[in-house]
Amino acid sequence: MTKALEGIRIIDFTHVQAGPACTQLLAWFGADVIKVERPGAGDVTRSQLRDIPGVDALYFTMLNSNKRSITLDTKTPEGKQVLEQLIRGSDVMVENFGPGALDRMGFSWDRIRELNPRMIWASVKGFSDGHHYEDLKVYENVAQCAGGAASTTGFWDGPPTVSAAALGDSNTGMHLAIGILAALRYRDKTGRGQKVAVSMQDSVLNLCRVKLRDQQRLDRVGYLEEYPQYPHGTFSDVVPRGGNAGGGGQPGWVLKCKGWETDPNAYIYFTIQGHAWAPICKAIGKPEWETDPAYMTAEARQDKIFDIFATIEDWLKDKTKFEAVDILRKFDIPCSPVLSMKEIANDPSLRKSGTVVEVEHKARGKYLTVGSPIKFSEMSVEVTGSPLLGEHTDEILKDIGYTPEKIAELHAAKAV
């Protein structure tokens, strides 16, 4: 089957999560992603949080499927020559080195353009160029704090809280992938490559736009009516933490279900959407609320919203989270069970859709990983196991024009 990015070669000079998440997505869609790694070591995540001694960690395998691996020592003259040859024959180079690292390696943007005027150089950064923190090293949780997510996450009587979702890393990778695709399209029109950069701070903020919206509303009126603090609490001059309240103006909360005393995930998320009020009243056995002026409108309900949630929770106490959702979805009420990672791993629907896939690895055997979150009607996405360190070195060298004799010389010089 034809893949959308077949014929596109990508030099993957990234490590850890943000960059590899970007290049893995492009590999899923058919690009030939060549992961360039240090001889004898490779990406640091190969050895981080190992569950099997001496075998690539899941941290690495789940971010590097569908790629080829070449080991290359770019500090050697021979290694630099290999990289030059790769640049000449590739379309995109993705990197997340510290500022100036490639320049010091001898591969400035001017040099890269000299080697390949059509090259797209894509970079993951902590902060945008020119930012007063541009020299600051950034990891996942640092980005969540810098991008505004942590200050608005958690409960109002506790400290800022980071999310388990990779808002800083994988989210930045997704943004960078979009930028690369746009740059490829631009090149189709103009014949010119360009630099593409995405900062982790910017990517987190892009997902926090509703909180930036709320800051402006708060500045204007002094309160936010959809937050739990309204109308009984007080507001400062900054967007508060809202607990489990939704960000879209529809009151919602995490509610206990049967078994919550022993199961930490025996909960559902329940949303009180305006047009669903009548079905909610029917579903929970409170039909009188539908026409009661004290409950009929969102404005009327707000001052007693936690009493309403308590009533719904009482209705839930003899129902498991799955039983509850099976009832509520018949009334078209927005809700979901709080799914544990174990439940997600074993979910037959996610397996069937390819959202969770089982793949084979040469050293660890079968393991679970995420599949493509993007589905196509004309293209299937096959997820393959991640490469062993340097597994494709000789194959890639042959692809870019090296003879067996030259390949042997590179090995002898320890350049690969």
Side-chain angles (χ1 to χ4, degrees), residues 336-411:
S336 173
V338 174
L339 296 176
S340 69
M341 295 312 299
K342 186 171 185 176
E343 288 165 333
I344 286 172
N346 295 314
D347 189 316
S349 293
L350 296 180
R351 296 289 190 98
K352 184 178 179 181
S353 69
T355 301
V356 174
V357 295
E358 187 176 68
V359 296
E360 187 74 36
H361 186 268
K362 292 180 176 64
R364 70 163 42 248
K366 293 185 184 296
Y367 68 97
L368 286 184
T369 189
V370 295
S372 174
I374 304 168
K375 318 298 183 188
F376 302 90
S377 64
E378 294 292 326
M379 184 178 77
S380 64
V381 177
E382 179 187 4
V383 179
T384 61
S386 62
L388 300 177
L389 179 61
E391 178 180 349
H392 305 96
T393 296
D394 289 1
E395 175 183 294
I396 293 166
L397 291 171
K398 182 179 177 182
D399 287 349
I400 61 175
Y402 280 82
T403 64
E405 292 76 19
K406 287 294 293 182
I407 292 173
E409 289 177 15
L410 289 170
H411 282 289

Side-chain angles (χ1 to χ4, degrees), residues 74-137:
T74 56
K75 294 180 181 179
T76 66
E78 296 87 354
K80 291 183 190 299
Q81 289 173 5
V82 172
L83 182 53
E84 287 183 358
Q85 193 70 2
L86 272 173
I87 290 171
R88 289 189 182 97
S90 298
D91 300 277
V92 183
M93 182 165 72
V94 189
E95 57 90 13
N96 59 350
F97 292 120
L102 278 173
D103 287 18
R104 293 189 295 274
M105 199 184 295
F107 292 91
S108 65
W109 174 229
D110 287 342
R111 176 59 178 152
I112 290 171
R113 281 192 298 180
E114 181 184 326
L115 292 167
N116 183 352
R118 292 172 56 83
M119 175 62 76
I120 294 162
W121 179 3
S123 300
V124 173
K125 298 177 175 295
F127 296 89
S128 293
D129 286 344
H131 192 283
H132 57 280
Y133 284 155
E134 67 177 340
D135 61 341
L136 189 63
K137 184 172 283 190

Side-chain angles (χ1 to χ4, degrees), residues 161-379:
T161 304
V162 297
S163 169
L167 307 180
D169 278 325
S170 286
N171 169 47
T172 301
M174 301 303 104
H175 279 84
L176 188 62
I178 294 168
I180 290 169
L181 295 175
L184 285 168
R185 183 71 178 117
Y186 182 89
R187 193 184 69 177
D188 289 342
K189 294 182 175 183
T190 68
R192 298 193 303 273
Q194 62 181 302
K195 292 176 75 173
V196 180
V198 176
S199 89
M200 296 173 74
Q201 180 191 40
D202 294 356
S203 297
V204 172
L205 177 57
N206 193 39
L207 297 189
C208 292
R209 68 185 68 181
V210 296
K211 301 302 181 181
L212 185 59
R213 171 205 68 187
D214 292 347
Q215 184 62 56
Q216 296 173 85
R217 293 170 54 229
L218 181 63
D219 289 342
R220 185 173 296 276
V221 300
Y223 61 88
L224 299 166
E225 68 268 16
E226 77 279 17
Y227 279 64
Q229 290 86 337
Y230 180 86
H232 304 298
T234 59
F235 289 85
S236 70
D237 62 349
V238 300
V239 174
R241 291 182 274 284
N244 288 315
Q250 308 296 337
W253 209 251
V254 171
L255 303 177
K256 299 173 185 173
C257 294
K258 180 180 178 181
W260 68 270
E261 298 91 342
T262 55
D263 180 354
N265 294 298
Y267 293 81
I268 66 168
Y269 194 85
F270 191 103
T271 303
I272 299 177
Q273 204 163 15
H275 73 266
W277 181 242
I280 288 170
C281 295
K282 292 182 176 68
I284 66 172
K286 299 292 286 186
E288 66 275 15
W289 279 359
E290 184 179 345
T291 54
D292 186 336
Y295 292 89
M296 283 175 58
T297 66
E299 293 77 13
R301 292 190 291 270
Q302 186 59 40
D303 68 341
K304 56 186 80 69
I305 194 68
F306 282 102
D307 294 333
I308 294 170
F309 285 136
T311 299
I312 298 170
E313 203 166 60
D314 185 63
W315 176 81
L316 289 166
K317 65 185 180 184
D318 62 347
K319 303 169 185 66
T320 68
K321 61 186 179 184
F322 298 111
E323 291 169 343
V325 169
D326 280 344
I327 294 170
L328 295 170
R329 65 180 181 170
K330 295 174 184 176
F331 290 88
D332 200 26
I333 296 168
C335 62
S336 173
V338 174
L339 296 176
S340 69
M341 295 312 299
K342 186 171 185 176
E343 288 165 333
I344 286 172
N346 295 314
D347 189 316
S349 293
L350 296 180
R351 296 289 190 98
K352 184 178 179 181
S353 69
T355 301
V356 174
V357 295
E358 187 176 68
V359 296
E360 187 74 36
H361 186 268
K362 292 180 176 64
R364 70 163 42 248
K366 293 185 184 296
Y367 68 97
L368 286 184
T369 189
V370 295
S372 174
I374 304 168
K375 318 298 183 188
F376 302 90
S377 64
E378 294 292 326
M379 184 178 77

